[in-house]
Amino acid sequence: MRRLNRRKTLNLVKELDAFPKVPDSYVETSASRGTVSLLAFSVMAILTVLEFLVYRDTWMRYDYEVDKDFTSKLRLNIDITVAMKCQYVGADVLDLAETMVTSAEGLVYEPVIFELSPQQRQWQRMLQQIQNRLQEEASLQDLLFKSAMRSSVTALPPREDSPSEPPSACRIHGHLDINKVAGNFHITVGKAIPHPRGHAHLAALVSHDSYNFSHRIDHLSFGEILPGIINPLDGTEKIAEESNQMYQYFITIVPTKLNTHKVYGDTHQFSVTERERVINHAIGSHGVSGIFMKYDISSLMVTVTEDHMPLWKFLVRLCGIIGGIFTTTGMIHGLAEFFVDVICCRFKLGVYRRPEENHVQSLLSSNHSTETSPPDPL
């Protein structure tokens, strides 16, 4: 009884076979089908390789949410060279909360030469070319995120020569911890001193002939310095044509979380709009000569995540490619054979006649030949 039930079960499973094997004697091959099969295998191989390259590649996904962190401090990283002596200029921050952050809290004034050495000038040209490409092709930033280019690559290299001329410029570099509110970082004439209504600069002791706010921004960023980010103002150089020149940079800061295969951390990206004008009170152009960076912080936070295609999706797409090509090439070959048969007049009378008709026709022909044959003379 058990053997009988097992045999019935086995027969039932055999009837459910969706892949029956056709005997070789019933298989008909042709050169055209072989050619189509060869082309199909070639296309499948090419598409499989391309699909594997897509599977190995990654892409950046951008998510947006409201930034709920308003109490922490924001780090301002700066490296600016001004074409004035260090005793003539002062840098500080004043925000909307009337909080003053002086340069003594984290900035260093270093006397340097404003002109760059040949190696440094080549570095600056390279950085400016990258900035131009970033403005034209936004996808280049995704490549920088994935490559995680170290920040040392974007730092000004040291001078390779030893100039004999005395330093006539001032390099202001370091970092300041500021509040996460809108504010103004500025470099102007004279050192900053506290004031009941804000602050003031001792500019009366500096002659107007020594004013020269030509400057070069080697680095300016907000938050933690992470690899893979080139800030919009890095490599910027401005040459003042007048002594009383005002440079304004309007900056919008966007909190950013970077989550890639090589880097994970919190930082801040920003966009900037530039404006410059000559201070001339006689024609109504009022203001103070200097470099002013007015920043505001966006309420939205961007999360940049590096995504990768999962293995199951790759296998599903691969099966779709193989099955789709097999089915499509079979249909195309069948249609091609049909049209070839039509064009070559294969549907003439008697070519595709049914077997019964062919048998009756052969009998009639044999009978007719028997009746019309001459008698035997013997």
Side-chain angles (χ1 to χ4, degrees):
M1 183 63 69
R2 290 183 179 177
R3 291 183 178 179
L4 183 60
N5 293 334
R6 189 177 301 174
R7 185 175 299 175
K8 290 182 178 180
T9 304
L10 185 59
N11 292 332
L12 180 61
V13 173
K14 288 182 178 180
E15 292 179 358
L16 297 176
D17 186 9
F19 307 97
K21 184 177 180 181
V22 181
D24 295 337
S25 58
Y26 293 97
V27 177
E28 181 182 357
T29 59
S30 65
S32 62
R33 294 190 182 92
T35 304
V36 172
S37 300
L38 189 61
L39 293 176
F41 286 130
S42 302
V43 173
M44 278 190 289
I46 295 173
L47 293 182
T48 300
V49 173
L50 295 177
E51 191 66 26
F52 181 73
L53 295 178
V54 173
Y55 169 72
R56 292 196 57 186
D57 194 13
T58 58
W59 60 88
M60 294 297 168
R61 187 183 77 248
Y62 294 83
D63 300 320
Y64 303 89
E65 58 181 319
V66 178
D67 185 18
K68 301 178 182 178
D69 184 13
F70 301 103
T71 58
S72 62
K73 293 287 186 177
L74 179 61
R75 179 170 176 169
L76 170 61
N77 309 290
I78 193 164
D79 188 353
I80 297 181
T81 301
V82 185
M84 292 180 64
K85 294 184 178 181
C86 292
Q87 63 265 28
Y88 295 157
V89 295
D92 59 278
V93 175
L94 184 65
D95 57 26
L96 292 182
E98 298 183 356
T99 301
M100 177 181 175
V101 182
T102 60
S103 59
E105 299 183 20
L107 296 184
V108 178
Y109 292 79
E110 179 184 350
V112 294
I113 298 176
F114 187 77
E115 293 296 330
L116 296 175
S117 64
Q119 181 180 355
Q120 291 175 331
R121 183 63 64 181
Q122 183 179 4
W123 167 87
Q124 188 190 35
R125 292 197 188 100
M126 179 196 68
L127 190 57
Q128 290 176 351
Q129 290 178 359
I130 295 177
Q131 294 285 16
N132 295 332
R133 293 294 300 272
L134 282 173
Q135 294 177 3
E136 297 174 358
E137 302 179 13
S139 59
L140 183 59
Q141 182 61 63
D142 294 345
L143 180 62
L144 295 177
F145 282 147
K146 290 189 286 187
S147 63
M149 185 173 63
R150 292 294 174 186
S151 57
S152 59
V153 180
T154 60
L156 180 67
R159 299 186 69 95
E160 71 277 9
D161 56 355
S162 299
S164 58
E165 57 181 308
S168 59
C170 184
R171 179 190 175 196
I172 304 173
H173 59 96
H175 69 274
L176 295 174
D177 293 327
I178 59 179
N179 297 322
K180 293 187 70 174
V181 295
N184 181 6
F185 171 78
H186 52 271
I187 301 174
T188 187
V189 180
K191 301 298 180 181
I193 57 174
H195 193 272
R197 296 184 179 180
H199 75 296
H201 286 263
L202 296 175
L205 304 178
V206 182
S207 173
H208 282 272
D209 297 334
S210 61
Y211 285 18
N212 185 4
F213 283 100
S214 300
H215 61 280
R216 183 178 60 254
I217 303 176
D218 297 326
H219 180 75
L220 178 68
S221 64
F222 297 86
E224 182 183 357
I225 300 178
L226 296 179
I229 296 180
I230 297 181
N231 299 281
L233 289 178
D234 293 352
T236 301
E237 185 177 41
K238 300 290 184 181
I239 304 299
E241 299 179 357
E242 301 287 341
S243 58
N244 291 333
Q245 193 92 3
M246 172 189 282
Y247 295 93
Q248 293 176 308
Y249 299 93
F250 301 93
I251 299 173
T252 302
I253 305 171
V254 180
T256 305
K257 285 186 177 181
L258 194 59
N259 184 14
T260 66
H261 296 334
K262 296 182 179 180
V263 180
Y264 180 80
D266 297 339
T267 185
H268 292 74
Q269 299 184 95
F270 65 90
S271 61
V272 61
T273 302
E274 304 176 12
R275 183 172 180 265
E276 60 180 82
R277 60 188 176 93
V278 178
I279 303 300
N280 190 346
H281 301 286
I283 60 176
S285 179
H286 305 292
V288 179
S289 303
I291 305 167
F292 298 87
M293 299 181 179
K294 300 181 180 180
Y295 59 88
D296 194 5
I297 302 176
S298 174
S299 59
L300 292 179
M301 180 175 61
V302 181
T303 302
V304 184
T305 307
E306 186 175 3
D307 278 348
H308 184 270
M309 181 187 296
L311 179 60
W312 65 267
K313 190 174 183 179
F314 168 70
L315 295 177
V316 170
R317 291 165 64 100
L318 196 60
C319 293
I321 289 174
I322 297 175
I325 291 177
F326 262 120
T327 305
T328 305
T329 51
M331 294 174 59
I332 293 176
H333 184 264
L335 290 175
E337 281 189 337
F338 174 77
F339 286 115
V340 168
D341 290 341
V342 172
I343 295 174
C344 294
C345 300
R346 293 287 299 276
F347 280 104
K348 291 182 178 179
L349 185 61
V351 176
Y352 286 108
R353 191 171 295 164
R354 290 194 300 246
E356 295 82 1
E357 295 180 357
N358 293 333
H359 181 66
V360 173
Q361 185 66 26
S362 62
L363 290 177
L364 293 176
S365 299
S366 61
N367 293 333
H368 179 71
S369 61
T370 303
E371 291 176 358
T372 56
S373 60
D376 192 357
L378 297 176

